Structures are given as C-alpha cells and as structure tokens.
Amino acid sequence: MVVRFLLLAFLVFGFGLTRRVNSHEESGERSCVSNSEEMHIQADFKPGIITLDGCANDWEDIDGSEFSLRPALDPDEDHEYKDGKMTVKALHDGNNVFFLLQVDGNYVYSKGDIKKCPSVALMFQIGDNATYHNMGGCKEQKGSCTNKTCKGHEVDLMHFVIGNAIPGRLYGGGDNSFGPLVDAYAWNPHCRYLNGMGPSVDRITGKEHGGTVALQISQGVVQGLNPKLKSTEDLNTSPLVLSTSLSVGLSVFGFVEEDSPYSKGGEKGTYYFEFARPLRTMDRLQQDVQFTIDWSSKMSVAFWYPVDGKQWVGSGHYTINCDWASLDIACGSVLTDASRSGWDMASAFALLFSVAALCIAIFVSYHVSRPNTVKFAPVENL
C-alpha cells in the first residue's frame, strides 16, 4: 500500500494533475486560424485487424490524417516541429476504438527524466461547453473548480509518457493505469485529476478541503503501448540496440544489453504510439468520453519532444491544430472482394441445401399422407 501511495503521489505531482500550472498562462491575445473541414479524423468499422503490439504493420492499409505540429500557445508556422508531420489513424470494431499516432524524429531517451523523453496525449471533449483552448475552459482556479462550478467543461485525457516504459509492452487496464499510461480528466490546466479522483468539497461551506472521491478506475478502460522507434531504412526490422548510456537500467527490466528493446540515441526513425479504449464505458462521473457510432466527437492530439536535449514543460507541447479536430466514428460494411465472394458462395450453398431439404420434406409428407389403397380381401377367399 505504501508503494502504491508513493507511486500515485509521484504521478499526481509529477504529471501536474492537481497543482496549478503557471506555465499555461498566456501573454497577449491568442490567435487561431483553423480550417475545420481539413481537421478531420475518420474511424471506420474494421473489426479483427489491429493487434496492440506497438508495430504499425497492421495499420498499413488504413488511411490516416496528416497534421503539422505547432506549439499550442503559439501556433505560428515558423515554430513548427521541424522533423515532420504527425499522422493520426483511427478505426473501431464495434466495441473498442483504436488510435495510431506516427511521428518522425531522432530517438531521445533519458532514464529517470520523463521530460527528456517524447510523450503524447489525446484529449476528447466530454462536456458541451468544453473548449480546446485552456483544456476545457473552466474559469475557476484550483480550490474552486468542482464538478458543480465547472459542470459542462469536462475533457477526457489519455497521456502516455515513455519514461521507464518498455517498448512493445501493453499498459493500462489495471494497476498499470498508474504507470506510463495515465487516464485522467480536466476542467482546465490547473484542475486535472486521475479518473475516479477529484477535489473533495465541504457540503456546508462549499469549499475544497482536499482528499479524493472513491477510486473508480475501471480495468480495461484504456490501453496503450510504448512506441518503438525503428530505423527509417527498414521499418520491418526489430528495434535497435540500447545505447551504453542506458545500460544501467537494464537490470530493472530483466534485460541484457544485447536484448534491449531500446534504440540508439540520436538514431533517426519513426515513433509509433498505439492506443485503444472502449467506445462506451461504465463512467457515471463525466470523466470518460462516450463515443457513438455514426456520430462525430471532438478531439486533439499533443506531442512533447525535448528539443535540443532540453526538458520540455507542460505547456510547451505541439498540437495538431489550434482548435478541436473532428473524430467521426463511422458505420458501414467492411466486406472486401474476397470476403464478399466467400459470403456469396456460402449463401448459394445454404440456399441450395434449403431447397433440397424442402423438396425432401414435401416428398415425405406426400407419401405419409397418401390414402391406403390396399383392398380388403376376406379370409375365405384366400
């Protein structure tokens, strides 16, 4: 219990879920020029295709949307992420929605310093009044933001920090929710909490006095994978060997250097972040977004990168747009030509079998119902 408490405390204060973040205070008037028609992510119905393993091979035939990455607080083209654009792909299988984030860059890793490692986050609108700007846009500050004063400004957050995560390992859905993958919600940058947690308010005075509500993080609510950086020369090869500067941490994970899943520092390649979560959860606290098939939701994607080896700050992330992007959860047929051909053959065989069965039934019924035409013959005539 002590270990769990310390780990939780680290995430709460390290990730900044409950403390005020002064770095989000902007100077000057904010300017955003967004083409909402281009800010579109399509999640088609394609069941049985994706395996959460950190590899992008099963995403090759899925169309994605490409976005320029610009600083969230200063979305100027001159400050754009220099190593390339981010590709966002999404699909669903009727139960879960899957996301793949793909972005090029040099592999950087600093053991024990999560702010010198790349990181990503997904943000979804929950409340009708939740804005992209200021992470929900509630005007209250820490100490006064509650589910009453900020009602309607809720946003859902999925934040993945590489840190000490192991490439290819599945995180989430249980105790690992307190690990590299964090499922949270927010009303603004100063009022962020882990799912199931939040400010405890005195019923008489209406003021926050600290504490949490009952912890209600559901198992399997969200899952994610640590990205693998693969060489751009051959994306089908295994990850490159860990640099010697990271060898001190290998024993923690049970690896030897030759078997390390990490890439070499400074090697150029592509990061792959894979996420999955249910379309609808059992949340009753306005902390999870609920997706509806054949409906659109609002989302955004953030990317942190230690430029020039310097630590990133919470507000220093890049985003795919300066406003919400549209996420369309589509419905429709997924039959390919091959599957359609197989289905047609099966249908034809079933029809033929049904006709044959019907003919046999009619034949048997006819003979059973035929009147007995054998004439009566007295015994004495035999």
Side-chain angles (χ1 to χ4, degrees):
M1 293 298 295
V2 174
V3 174
R4 179 183 289 273
F5 176 80
L6 291 176
L7 183 57
L8 177 60
F10 171 77
L11 281 170
V12 169
F13 293 101
F15 179 41
L17 294 175
T18 57
R19 63 184 177 88
R20 176 166 179 161
V21 185
N22 293 323
S23 58
H24 279 82
E25 300 296 335
E26 298 174 281
S27 59
E29 184 178 352
R30 180 176 181 269
S31 175
C32 174
V33 179
S34 174
N35 187 342
S36 58
E37 294 182 359
E38 296 180 358
M39 300 297 113
H40 172 81
I41 299 170
Q42 179 84 6
D44 290 325
F45 175 57
K46 295 183 180 293
I49 293 179
I50 302 303
T51 300
L52 288 177
D53 55 7
C55 297
N57 294 341
D58 43 5
W59 289 89
E60 289 181 353
D61 297 329
I62 306 301
D63 294 331
S65 301
E66 194 174 68
F67 302 96
S68 299
L69 291 170
R70 297 180 182 178
L73 299 185
D74 184 16
D76 190 276
E77 186 176 358
D78 294 337
H79 302 146
E80 191 173 299
Y81 177 69
K82 302 301 182 183
D83 287 335
K85 298 183 177 182
M86 173 179 282
T87 299
V88 180
K89 297 184 178 183
L91 61 83
H92 73 95
D93 61 5
N95 294 309
N96 299 290
V97 59
F98 301 84
F99 297 94
L100 176 73
L101 312 181
Q102 178 179 327
V103 59
D104 294 337
N106 292 324
Y107 185 78
V108 289
Y109 180 89
S110 180
K111 183 180 182 301
D113 191 344
I114 62 174
K115 293 187 176 181
K116 284 190 176 181
C117 303
S119 177
V120 294
L122 304 178
M123 181 171 72
F124 304 95
Q125 183 190 51
I126 300 177
D128 293 337
N129 299 324
T131 60
Y132 160 83
H133 185 230
N134 277 338
M135 200 178 293
C138 180
K139 302 299 184 182
E140 303 292 331
Q141 296 294 327
K142 178 172 169 52
S144 61
C145 56
T146 68
N147 57 359
K148 293 183 178 180
T149 59
C150 290
K151 185 176 178 59
H153 290 274
E154 302 86 358
V155 294
D156 190 5
L157 303 172
M158 295 167 59
H159 188 194
F160 196 101
V161 182
I162 291 181
N164 292 329
I166 300 173
R169 173 173 289 185
L170 187 65
Y171 292 95
D175 290 341
N176 281 331
S177 295
F178 297 105
L181 179 64
V182 176
D183 188 16
Y185 71 100
W187 293 301
N188 61 44
H190 318 300
C191 302
R192 292 177 287 169
Y193 301 92
L194 291 172
N195 272 18
M197 305 186 68
S200 181
V201 179
D202 190 294
R203 296 185 179 181
I204 298 177
T205 64
K207 295 182 178 180
E208 179 184 355
H209 57 74
T212 65
V213 298
L215 186 61
Q216 297 180 355
I217 297 180
S218 302
Q219 292 187 357
V221 169
V222 60
Q223 295 177 324
L225 285 176
N226 190 11
K228 292 180 178 179
L229 183 78
K230 297 185 176 181
S231 171
T232 53
E233 297 178 357
D234 184 5
L235 294 180
N236 295 319
T237 60
S238 59
L240 301 176
V241 178
L242 174 70
S243 63
T244 55
S245 61
L246 301 179
S247 60
V248 293
L250 291 178
S251 60
V252 177
F253 305 120
F255 292 121
V256 295
E257 187 170 352
E258 290 75 12
D259 297 329
S260 168
Y262 297 94
S263 298
K264 292 180 180 179
E267 188 79 20
K268 187 171 180 58
T270 302
Y271 287 96
Y272 297 101
F273 296 85
E274 226 174 353
F275 296 90
R277 54 146 288 165
L279 288 170
R280 305 190 71 82
T281 72
M282 298 179 66
D283 169 58
R284 297 294 182 271
L285 302 174
Q286 279 285 87
Q287 297 175 4
D288 285 328
V289 62
Q290 306 299 321
F291 296 113
T292 301
I293 295 177
D294 201 22
W295 199 257
S296 294
S297 299
K298 294 180 179 179
M299 70 169 293
S300 186
V301 181
F303 178 62
W304 288 263
Y305 189 83
V307 179
D308 298 327
K310 300 177 181 178
Q311 287 186 333
W312 48 259
V313 296
S315 62
H317 56 279
Y318 299 95
T319 60
I320 60 174
N321 189 31
C322 59
D323 205 344
W324 291 116
S326 174
L327 171 64
D328 295 340
I329 308 295
C331 65
S333 174
V334 295
L335 292 178
T336 61
D337 293 340
S339 61
R340 186 178 291 108
S341 176
W343 176 259
D344 292 342
M345 292 180 62
S347 300
F349 178 78
L351 178 61
L352 180 62
F353 182 80
S354 300
V355 172
L358 179 62
C359 293
I360 293 174
I362 294 174
F363 177 78
V364 172
S365 299
Y366 171 74
H367 282 278
V368 169
S369 61
R370 282 182 60 186
N372 190 355
T373 57
V374 178
K375 295 181 180 180
F376 175 77
V379 177
E380 60 271 16
N381 294 336
L382 297 176

